[in-house]
Amino acid sequence: MTDLQYHYSGVSTFTKTKGINSLVLAHQTEIEAVNNIPCFFWGNLTDPYITAKCWSTIAKVVRSSFGPVPPSLRDPIVTAGTERIRFEGFSSCNGVYVRLDMKPESIDGEFIASGTTNVDFNDPMLNALNSIQKNEKVTLAVGQQDVQIITTKTKVVEKKVTLPTRWIKGLTSVQLYLADMDLQFELNKIQTIQLFQNLPKGTIKGDFFIAKRAGKFMFSTIATADAVRVGGLHRLRLLDGILAIADKVFIYESADKQTVAFVYEFGKMQLLMAFSPDAYRGFSGEGKALDQMTENLPSEWIYGLNSLLKANENFDPTLLSIEHDIDFDTMNQLTSSLSAIGLLGYDVMGRSHFYRQLPFKTERILSLNPRLKNAKKLIDEQQVKMVKKENDYIEAEVKGTGVLHKVVIDKQGYRCTCEWFTAYQGKRGICKHILAVKMVAGELE
């Protein structure tokens, strides 16, 4: 799949005039309606020092790689609306996800528009962020304005960046992992610093766990019932820049004890960093969204929600069902489908979804998963034969290359005789054969 080439109409700039720092983030999107919006937000940061530290951490994540993909600049996206601003990004290998949730009290300004856009994080701007001191004044603009309040001699040049398809695919799946997480540990500032002081040096191989013993948290190679597994432990060094300024740290773990997330609380904002099961595995390759993508989401539903919901607005399926007379089963399907294509994010602290409009066309998102396309191809070529279908049991045969695969779906889950399922046992999403059978048979009741 060819990566997307984006052209920014300008560059992000950071200037200082009469003691006031001004940051303007250049933006771009492939959605035409948003392209005409000159600016999403304009105003002041109420805690510029902590905000700058969090932005620097995001920049560190998007410029890092822990797998075979070489590190390169990947500009994050920003969702502005409902009195909040969220910055999101992935490492180049797609195995680390980071999000900064800026609460209403962290910003003082005007939301000119609501939406999501990717922004330019360039070297001069990052260097300036690192120089911000406490009690400085910083003005933030997400997007360029026609009439600049900021005086700058920076030459406006076109910047070309690459937005990888793995990045988009990861964004459509990571919230499914977050929604499956539960809180395991809560650490205060001292406990957090003590824990990270004992982080092993260098590239760490093998499984490590965070355990609590006598009120103290520690890293251990021993798995216990209450320990939290962290794959690719050396990736935690991405958090070094914010360890000393966080009020509290919350550690979440997925039900399968494979994926972990750290939430750093700063009072006016929160920074979440989630890690894939291992350093060599990215969120985009896990295929978790496939379970929810067996049916196409009608485009009129998306357009309807765009008119109902604002960016960052809390997505309450029960309330939406009641207010708009939508059947609960239909709303559950809609919630799953919207999550699977990235239009819903997930807040682990609030245990709720929030709405966003990705800066990519819906057709592009739906076309990114090869297993989904291959499953549809199996159906079109009539390679799926239903052997038995009962209320709680489905058995089918699917033709492969010189072999016939057996697929079974029941209340205990799903199984296939193909090499993919044998190798991963469903841990990296369902195979194309199971997906094709589910699409033909429909979900079990």
Side-chain angles (χ1 to χ4, degrees):
M1 178 69 68
T2 302
D3 287 343
L4 307 182
Q5 298 290 328
Y6 276 172
H7 298 266
Y8 288 111
S9 58
V11 295
S12 292
T13 59
F14 188 98
T15 60
K16 188 170 185 177
T17 305
K18 295 181 179 180
I20 298 178
N21 298 289
S22 298
L23 172 63
V24 178
L25 298 177
H27 74 288
Q28 182 59 295
T29 169
E30 71 175 21
I31 301 177
E32 294 180 359
V34 183
N35 271 334
N36 296 323
I37 297 174
C39 188
F40 286 91
F41 172 83
W42 181 269
N44 299 316
L45 302 178
T46 62
D47 201 335
Y49 179 74
I50 291 180
T51 305
K53 290 294 184 184
C54 290
W55 282 340
S56 296
T57 299
I58 293 174
K60 188 187 300 184
V61 172
V62 300
R63 293 176 174 218
S64 66
S65 180
F66 301 94
V69 180
S72 57
L73 175 62
R74 305 302 188 197
D75 295 341
I77 67 168
V78 182
T79 300
T82 321
E83 298 184 338
R84 292 176 180 266
I85 298 178
R86 285 184 167 101
F87 286 77
E88 298 176 87
F90 283 92
S91 59
S92 295
C93 62
N94 218 239
V96 182
Y97 166 74
V98 64
R99 187 179 77 229
L100 175 65
D101 294 338
M102 301 181 66
K103 302 175 185 178
E105 53 266 34
S106 69
I107 45 182
D108 180 18
E110 179 183 0
F111 285 88
I112 302 169
S114 171
T116 303
T117 179
N118 47 308
V119 295
D120 162 34
F121 263 34
N122 56 44
D123 288 330
M125 187 269 287
L126 293 175
N127 291 334
L129 289 179
N130 291 328
S131 67
I132 289 179
Q133 302 298 315
K134 295 181 180 179
N135 301 321
E136 284 195 72
K137 294 183 178 180
V138 176
T139 299
L140 168 67
V142 180
Q144 296 280 9
Q145 288 191 325
D146 292 334
V147 179
Q148 292 288 335
I149 301 175
I150 304 165
T151 60
T152 175
K153 296 181 180 179
T154 303
K155 182 180 180 181
V156 178
V157 297
E158 183 180 70
K159 180 190 175 188
K160 187 175 183 180
V161 299
T162 299
L163 193 62
T165 55
R166 281 173 56 85
W167 193 95
I168 306 173
K169 288 164 64 177
L171 196 60
T172 62
S173 8
V174 70
Q175 71 275 354
L176 299 175
Y177 289 88
L178 296 178
D180 189 41
M181 290 186 175
D182 289 312
L183 177 64
Q184 301 299 321
F185 296 131
E186 178 181 336
L187 290 69
N188 60 34
K189 181 177 294 188
I190 295 177
Q191 290 172 324
T192 302
I193 294 175
Q194 289 175 339
L195 173 66
F196 277 80
Q197 282 177 341
N198 296 313
L199 183 65
K201 306 294 184 182
T203 300
I204 306 163
K205 297 182 179 180
D207 287 343
F208 269 79
F209 302 85
I210 297 177
K212 185 178 182 181
R213 300 289 181 269
K216 185 177 180 179
F217 294 90
M218 62 186 68
F219 294 110
S220 171
T221 57
I222 301 174
T224 58
D226 58 347
V228 173
R229 178 186 178 274
V230 183
L233 189 68
H234 53 288
R235 297 182 293 177
L236 293 185
R237 295 196 187 95
L238 292 169
L239 293 161
D240 285 348
I242 57 174
L243 294 178
I245 59 175
D247 298 327
K248 289 184 179 180
V249 175
F250 302 88
I251 301 178
Y252 287 78
E253 185 182 41
S254 59
D256 62 5
K257 301 184 75 67
Q258 294 293 304
T259 311
V260 64
F262 291 71
V263 180
Y264 281 66
E265 173 64 54
F266 303 98
K268 295 180 180 180
M269 62 197 81
Q270 295 171 340
L271 187 137
L272 176 145
M273 198 176 294
F275 300 88
S276 63
D278 293 289
Y280 60 87
R281 290 167 62 176
F283 284 109
S284 65
E286 298 298 281
K288 193 175 183 70
L290 286 172
D291 281 326
Q292 315 294 344
M293 293 179 68
T294 55
E295 295 184 21
N296 289 327
L297 184 66
S299 58
E300 57 267 21
W301 289 10
I302 297 177
Y303 298 140
L305 281 171
N306 277 335
S307 64
L308 287 173
L309 301 173
K310 296 180 180 179
N312 288 329
E313 183 174 349
N314 184 57
F315 185 88
D316 187 331
T318 302
L319 186 60
L320 285 171
S321 296
I322 296 173
E323 288 183 346
H324 302 284
D325 194 24
I326 302 174
D327 180 79
F328 284 117
D329 290 337
T330 301
M331 181 55 69
N332 287 336
Q333 177 194 348
L334 177 61
T335 302
S336 298
S337 298
L338 290 172
S339 294
I341 62 175
L343 297 183
L344 293 183
Y346 191 78
D347 179 359
V348 295
M349 296 285 287
R351 301 193 68 83
S352 61
H353 289 90
F354 61 88
Y355 186 73
R356 66 180 166 212
Q357 183 182 29
L358 292 178
F360 324 112
K361 296 177 181 177
T362 305
E363 309 86 73
R364 186 189 301 281
I365 300 170
L366 292 173
S367 69
L368 290 178
N369 203 297
R371 270 179 271 170
L372 180 61
K373 291 188 288 186
N374 290 335
K376 291 181 178 180
K377 182 179 179 181
L378 288 173
I379 297 173
D380 293 340
E381 295 178 353
Q382 299 183 336
Q383 303 296 308
V384 180
K385 178 183 177 182
M386 302 301 297
V387 176
K388 184 184 296 185
K389 181 180 180 182
E390 299 174 351
N391 289 335
D392 57 355
Y393 183 86
I394 292 177
E395 182 179 329
E397 294 177 344
V398 182
K399 288 184 179 180
T401 305
V403 66
L404 194 63
H405 299 294
K406 180 180 178 180
V407 173
V408 173
I409 304 176
D410 54 27
K411 290 184 177 180
Q412 283 69 49
Y414 38 75
R415 299 173 295 282
C416 181
T417 57
C418 71
E419 293 183 1
W420 175 273
F421 187 84
T422 301
Y424 299 112
Q425 297 293 309
K427 291 183 178 180
R428 302 194 69 174
I430 56 181
C431 65
K432 62 181 179 181
H433 312 107
I434 295 175
L435 182 58
V437 172
K438 291 183 67 175
M439 294 172 71
V440 171
E443 295 290 341
L444 288 175
E445 298 181 356

